[in-house]
mmCIF file of all heavy atoms in Angstrom:
data_model
loop_
_atom_site.group_PDB
_atom_site.id
_atom_site.type_symbol
_atom_site.label_atom_id
_atom_site.label_comp_id
_atom_site.label_asym_id
_atom_site.label_seq_id
_atom_site.Cartn_x
_atom_site.Cartn_y
_atom_site.Cartn_z
ATOM 1 N N ALA A 44 45.518 6.712 -0.670
ATOM 2 C CA ALA A 44 46.799 6.350 -1.299
ATOM 3 C C ALA A 44 46.917 4.833 -1.431
ATOM 4 O O ALA A 44 47.321 4.323 -2.491
ATOM 5 C CB ALA A 44 47.968 6.911 -0.498
ATOM 6 N N TRP A 45 46.581 4.089 -0.379
ATOM 7 C CA TRP A 45 46.637 2.632 -0.447
ATOM 8 C C TRP A 45 45.655 2.108 -1.505
ATOM 9 O O TRP A 45 45.984 1.218 -2.277
ATOM 10 C CB TRP A 45 46.316 2.016 0.902
ATOM 11 C CG TRP A 45 47.398 2.121 1.940
ATOM 12 C CD1 TRP A 45 48.740 2.295 1.720
ATOM 13 C CD2 TRP A 45 47.235 2.062 3.352
ATOM 14 N NE1 TRP A 45 49.403 2.337 2.916
ATOM 15 C CE2 TRP A 45 48.513 2.197 3.943
ATOM 16 C CE3 TRP A 45 46.127 1.904 4.187
ATOM 17 C CZ2 TRP A 45 48.718 2.160 5.308
ATOM 18 C CZ3 TRP A 45 46.335 1.873 5.556
ATOM 19 C CH2 TRP A 45 47.604 2.000 6.112
ATOM 20 N N THR A 46 44.452 2.682 -1.539
ATOM 21 C CA THR A 46 43.446 2.236 -2.511
ATOM 22 C C THR A 46 43.896 2.543 -3.940
ATOM 23 O O THR A 46 43.715 1.723 -4.845
ATOM 24 C CB THR A 46 42.081 2.890 -2.204
ATOM 25 O OG1 THR A 46 41.706 2.556 -0.861
ATOM 26 C CG2 THR A 46 41.012 2.403 -3.160
ATOM 27 N N ARG A 47 44.508 3.707 -4.143
ATOM 28 C CA ARG A 47 45.038 4.034 -5.476
ATOM 29 C C ARG A 47 46.077 3.008 -5.912
ATOM 30 O O ARG A 47 46.094 2.586 -7.064
ATOM 31 C CB ARG A 47 45.685 5.427 -5.472
ATOM 32 C CG ARG A 47 44.763 6.550 -5.842
ATOM 33 C CD ARG A 47 45.515 7.855 -6.121
ATOM 34 N NE ARG A 47 46.484 8.233 -5.116
ATOM 35 C CZ ARG A 47 46.208 8.937 -4.019
ATOM 36 N NH1 ARG A 47 44.976 9.337 -3.776
ATOM 37 N NH2 ARG A 47 47.158 9.245 -3.165
ATOM 38 N N ARG A 48 46.942 2.605 -4.990
ATOM 39 C CA ARG A 48 47.998 1.651 -5.329
ATOM 40 C C ARG A 48 47.427 0.314 -5.778
ATOM 41 O O ARG A 48 47.911 -0.267 -6.740
ATOM 42 C CB ARG A 48 48.951 1.471 -4.163
ATOM 43 C CG ARG A 48 49.843 2.694 -3.975
ATOM 44 C CD ARG A 48 50.659 2.585 -2.746
ATOM 45 N NE ARG A 48 52.009 2.122 -3.073
ATOM 46 C CZ ARG A 48 52.972 2.087 -2.178
ATOM 47 N NH1 ARG A 48 52.735 2.452 -0.927
ATOM 48 N NH2 ARG A 48 54.163 1.687 -2.521
ATOM 49 N N VAL A 49 46.403 -0.196 -5.096
ATOM 50 C CA VAL A 49 45.849 -1.482 -5.520
ATOM 51 C C VAL A 49 45.092 -1.330 -6.832
ATOM 52 O O VAL A 49 45.124 -2.228 -7.675
ATOM 53 C CB VAL A 49 44.985 -2.165 -4.439
ATOM 54 C CG1 VAL A 49 45.814 -2.546 -3.240
ATOM 55 C CG2 VAL A 49 43.783 -1.359 -4.050
ATOM 56 N N SER A 50 44.431 -0.197 -7.035
ATOM 57 C CA SER A 50 43.730 0.033 -8.304
ATOM 58 C C SER A 50 44.718 0.135 -9.462
ATOM 59 O O SER A 50 44.500 -0.439 -10.531
ATOM 60 C CB SER A 50 42.892 1.305 -8.236
ATOM 61 O OG SER A 50 41.860 1.162 -7.306
ATOM 62 N N GLN A 51 45.829 0.849 -9.253
ATOM 63 C CA GLN A 51 46.839 0.990 -10.299
ATOM 64 C C GLN A 51 47.539 -0.334 -10.585
ATOM 65 O O GLN A 51 48.053 -0.533 -11.683
ATOM 66 C CB GLN A 51 47.867 2.052 -9.906
ATOM 67 C CG GLN A 51 47.294 3.444 -9.923
ATOM 68 C CD GLN A 51 48.212 4.469 -9.256
ATOM 69 O OE1 GLN A 51 49.208 4.136 -8.625
ATOM 70 N NE2 GLN A 51 47.849 5.738 -9.392
ATOM 71 N N ALA A 52 47.549 -1.242 -9.622
ATOM 72 C CA ALA A 52 48.170 -2.549 -9.816
ATOM 73 C C ALA A 52 47.248 -3.488 -10.588
ATOM 74 O O ALA A 52 47.603 -4.638 -10.826
ATOM 75 C CB ALA A 52 48.536 -3.164 -8.469
ATOM 76 N N GLY A 53 46.079 -3.010 -10.999
ATOM 77 C CA GLY A 53 45.166 -3.828 -11.790
ATOM 78 C C GLY A 53 44.304 -4.753 -10.964
ATOM 79 O O GLY A 53 43.869 -5.787 -11.440
ATOM 80 N N CYS A 54 44.041 -4.393 -9.732
ATOM 81 C CA CYS A 54 43.224 -5.224 -8.859
ATOM 82 C C CYS A 54 41.743 -4.871 -8.980
ATOM 83 O O CYS A 54 41.393 -3.720 -9.223
ATOM 84 C CB CYS A 54 43.641 -5.036 -7.404
ATOM 85 S SG CYS A 54 45.270 -5.680 -6.996
ATOM 86 N N LEU A 55 40.910 -5.873 -8.801
ATOM 87 C CA LEU A 55 39.485 -5.636 -8.625
ATOM 88 C C LEU A 55 39.316 -5.125 -7.209
ATOM 89 O O LEU A 55 39.845 -5.708 -6.269
ATOM 90 C CB LEU A 55 38.699 -6.942 -8.797
ATOM 91 C CG LEU A 55 37.245 -6.903 -8.338
ATOM 92 C CD1 LEU A 55 36.423 -6.056 -9.296
ATOM 93 C CD2 LEU A 55 36.691 -8.291 -8.224
ATOM 94 N N VAL A 56 38.618 -4.029 -7.040
ATOM 95 C CA VAL A 56 38.424 -3.424 -5.726
ATOM 96 C C VAL A 56 36.936 -3.504 -5.388
ATOM 97 O O VAL A 56 36.101 -2.993 -6.141
ATOM 98 C CB VAL A 56 38.930 -1.961 -5.720
ATOM 99 C CG1 VAL A 56 38.654 -1.301 -4.390
ATOM 100 C CG2 VAL A 56 40.421 -1.914 -6.051
ATOM 101 N N GLU A 57 36.622 -4.171 -4.269
ATOM 102 C CA GLU A 57 35.235 -4.301 -3.824
ATOM 103 C C GLU A 57 35.087 -3.746 -2.411
ATOM 104 O O GLU A 57 35.904 -4.056 -1.539
ATOM 105 C CB GLU A 57 34.800 -5.773 -3.790
ATOM 106 C CG GLU A 57 34.415 -6.332 -5.115
ATOM 107 C CD GLU A 57 33.656 -7.640 -4.980
ATOM 108 O OE1 GLU A 57 34.036 -8.491 -4.158
ATOM 109 O OE2 GLU A 57 32.674 -7.804 -5.718
ATOM 110 N N PRO A 58 34.064 -2.957 -2.181
ATOM 111 C CA PRO A 58 33.870 -2.394 -0.842
ATOM 112 C C PRO A 58 33.364 -3.431 0.152
ATOM 113 O O PRO A 58 32.755 -4.434 -0.226
ATOM 114 C CB PRO A 58 32.827 -1.300 -1.069
ATOM 115 C CG PRO A 58 32.095 -1.718 -2.285
ATOM 116 C CD PRO A 58 33.066 -2.493 -3.129
ATOM 117 N N TRP A 59 33.610 -3.164 1.413
ATOM 118 C CA TRP A 59 33.067 -3.955 2.514
ATOM 119 C C TRP A 59 32.763 -3.004 3.661
ATOM 120 O O TRP A 59 33.279 -1.899 3.724
ATOM 121 C CB TRP A 59 34.022 -5.071 2.955
ATOM 122 C CG TRP A 59 35.346 -4.576 3.462
ATOM 123 C CD1 TRP A 59 36.483 -4.403 2.732
ATOM 124 C CD2 TRP A 59 35.667 -4.164 4.793
ATOM 125 N NE1 TRP A 59 37.490 -3.909 3.531
ATOM 126 C CE2 TRP A 59 37.019 -3.763 4.800
ATOM 127 C CE3 TRP A 59 34.950 -4.093 5.993
ATOM 128 C CZ2 TRP A 59 37.656 -3.298 5.950
ATOM 129 C CZ3 TRP A 59 35.588 -3.626 7.134
ATOM 130 C CH2 TRP A 59 36.933 -3.247 7.102
ATOM 131 N N ARG A 60 31.931 -3.464 4.580
ATOM 132 C CA ARG A 60 31.548 -2.644 5.738
ATOM 133 C C ARG A 60 31.201 -3.557 6.900
ATOM 134 O O ARG A 60 30.656 -4.637 6.702
ATOM 135 C CB ARG A 60 30.333 -1.789 5.389
ATOM 136 C CG ARG A 60 29.966 -0.774 6.448
ATOM 137 C CD ARG A 60 28.851 0.144 5.965
ATOM 138 N NE ARG A 60 28.669 1.369 6.675
ATOM 139 C CZ ARG A 60 28.550 1.538 7.974
ATOM 140 N NH1 ARG A 60 28.620 0.515 8.775
ATOM 141 N NH2 ARG A 60 28.363 2.729 8.506
ATOM 142 N N CYS A 61 31.522 -3.116 8.102
ATOM 143 C CA CYS A 61 31.150 -3.833 9.322
ATOM 144 C C CYS A 61 30.552 -2.852 10.311
ATOM 145 O O CYS A 61 31.175 -1.859 10.668
ATOM 146 C CB CYS A 61 32.372 -4.514 9.937
ATOM 147 S SG CYS A 61 32.014 -5.309 11.526
ATOM 148 N N ASP A 62 29.350 -3.150 10.755
ATOM 149 C CA ASP A 62 28.703 -2.383 11.818
ATOM 150 C C ASP A 62 29.182 -2.989 13.137
ATOM 151 O O ASP A 62 28.930 -4.164 13.415
ATOM 152 C CB ASP A 62 27.190 -2.493 11.685
ATOM 153 C CG ASP A 62 26.435 -1.766 12.770
ATOM 154 O OD1 ASP A 62 27.062 -1.188 13.675
ATOM 155 O OD2 ASP A 62 25.195 -1.779 12.714
ATOM 156 N N LEU A 63 29.906 -2.209 13.931
ATOM 157 C CA LEU A 63 30.486 -2.752 15.159
ATOM 158 C C LEU A 63 29.445 -3.154 16.194
ATOM 159 O O LEU A 63 29.706 -4.023 17.021
ATOM 160 C CB LEU A 63 31.481 -1.762 15.758
ATOM 161 C CG LEU A 63 32.739 -1.545 14.924
ATOM 162 C CD1 LEU A 63 33.636 -0.494 15.569
ATOM 163 C CD2 LEU A 63 33.491 -2.850 14.718
ATOM 164 N N SER A 64 28.257 -2.562 16.160
ATOM 165 C CA SER A 64 27.238 -2.938 17.140
ATOM 166 C C SER A 64 26.738 -4.361 16.907
ATOM 167 O O SER A 64 26.395 -5.056 17.857
ATOM 168 C CB SER A 64 26.080 -1.943 17.140
ATOM 169 O OG SER A 64 25.420 -1.957 15.895
ATOM 170 N N SER A 65 26.733 -4.820 15.657
ATOM 171 C CA SER A 65 26.288 -6.181 15.364
ATOM 172 C C SER A 65 27.449 -7.131 15.042
ATOM 173 O O SER A 65 27.302 -8.336 15.157
ATOM 174 C CB SER A 65 25.315 -6.170 14.177
ATOM 175 O OG SER A 65 26.011 -5.846 12.975
ATOM 176 N N GLY A 66 28.564 -6.578 14.610
ATOM 177 C CA GLY A 66 29.697 -7.417 14.221
ATOM 178 C C GLY A 66 29.552 -8.052 12.850
ATOM 179 O O GLY A 66 30.359 -8.881 12.449
ATOM 180 N N ALA A 67 28.524 -7.655 12.101
ATOM 181 C CA ALA A 67 28.262 -8.244 10.789
ATOM 182 C C ALA A 67 29.065 -7.529 9.706
ATOM 183 O O ALA A 67 29.047 -6.309 9.617
ATOM 184 C CB ALA A 67 26.777 -8.180 10.466
ATOM 185 N N PHE A 68 29.764 -8.311 8.887
ATOM 186 C CA PHE A 68 30.518 -7.798 7.744
ATOM 187 C C PHE A 68 29.696 -8.010 6.483
ATOM 188 O O PHE A 68 29.225 -9.113 6.223
ATOM 189 C CB PHE A 68 31.841 -8.564 7.566
ATOM 190 C CG PHE A 68 32.922 -8.153 8.509
ATOM 191 C CD1 PHE A 68 32.941 -8.613 9.815
ATOM 192 C CD2 PHE A 68 33.946 -7.319 8.080
ATOM 193 C CE1 PHE A 68 33.957 -8.254 10.680
ATOM 194 C CE2 PHE A 68 34.965 -6.953 8.941
ATOM 195 C CZ PHE A 68 34.972 -7.421 10.247
ATOM 196 N N MET A 69 29.522 -6.964 5.691
ATOM 197 C CA MET A 69 28.880 -7.050 4.382
ATOM 198 C C MET A 69 29.998 -6.871 3.364
ATOM 199 O O MET A 69 30.672 -5.843 3.360
ATOM 200 C CB MET A 69 27.820 -5.959 4.213
ATOM 201 C CG MET A 69 27.143 -5.978 2.860
ATOM 202 S SD MET A 69 26.250 -7.488 2.499
ATOM 203 C CE MET A 69 24.730 -7.182 3.353
ATOM 204 N N ILE A 70 30.215 -7.883 2.509
ATOM 205 C CA ILE A 70 31.312 -7.831 1.549
ATOM 206 C C ILE A 70 30.792 -8.010 0.138
ATOM 207 O O ILE A 70 29.655 -8.434 -0.068
ATOM 208 C CB ILE A 70 32.401 -8.878 1.878
ATOM 209 C CG1 ILE A 70 31.845 -10.290 1.752
ATOM 210 C CG2 ILE A 70 32.959 -8.649 3.275
ATOM 211 C CD1 ILE A 70 32.905 -11.359 1.932
ATOM 212 N N GLY A 71 31.628 -7.704 -0.841
ATOM 213 C CA GLY A 71 31.253 -7.821 -2.243
ATOM 214 C C GLY A 71 31.108 -9.275 -2.682
ATOM 215 O O GLY A 71 31.686 -10.182 -2.082
ATOM 216 N N SER A 72 30.358 -9.480 -3.749
ATOM 217 C CA SER A 72 30.043 -10.838 -4.195
ATOM 218 C C SER A 72 31.266 -11.609 -4.688
ATOM 219 O O SER A 72 31.387 -12.809 -4.445
ATOM 220 C CB SER A 72 28.969 -10.799 -5.285
ATOM 221 O OG SER A 72 29.432 -10.057 -6.400
ATOM 222 N N LYS A 73 32.191 -10.952 -5.373
ATOM 223 C CA LYS A 73 33.388 -11.649 -5.856
ATOM 224 C C LYS A 73 34.307 -12.035 -4.702
ATOM 225 O O LYS A 73 34.886 -13.111 -4.695
ATOM 226 C CB LYS A 73 34.116 -10.818 -6.889
ATOM 227 C CG LYS A 73 33.326 -10.656 -8.179
ATOM 228 C CD LYS A 73 34.226 -10.301 -9.312
ATOM 229 C CE LYS A 73 33.450 -10.081 -10.585
ATOM 230 N NZ LYS A 73 32.940 -11.273 -11.188
#
Side-chain angles (χ1 to χ4, degrees):
W45 286 337
T46 303
R47 269 193 311 273
R48 287 173 99 172
V49 295
S50 294
Q51 290 168 351
C54 292
L55 167 71
V56 176
E57 280 195 318
W59 61 268
R60 188 173 198 310
C61 175
D62 178 358
L63 293 177
S64 64
S65 69
F68 282 79
M69 179 61 82
I70 64 174
S72 60
K73 293 201 182 287

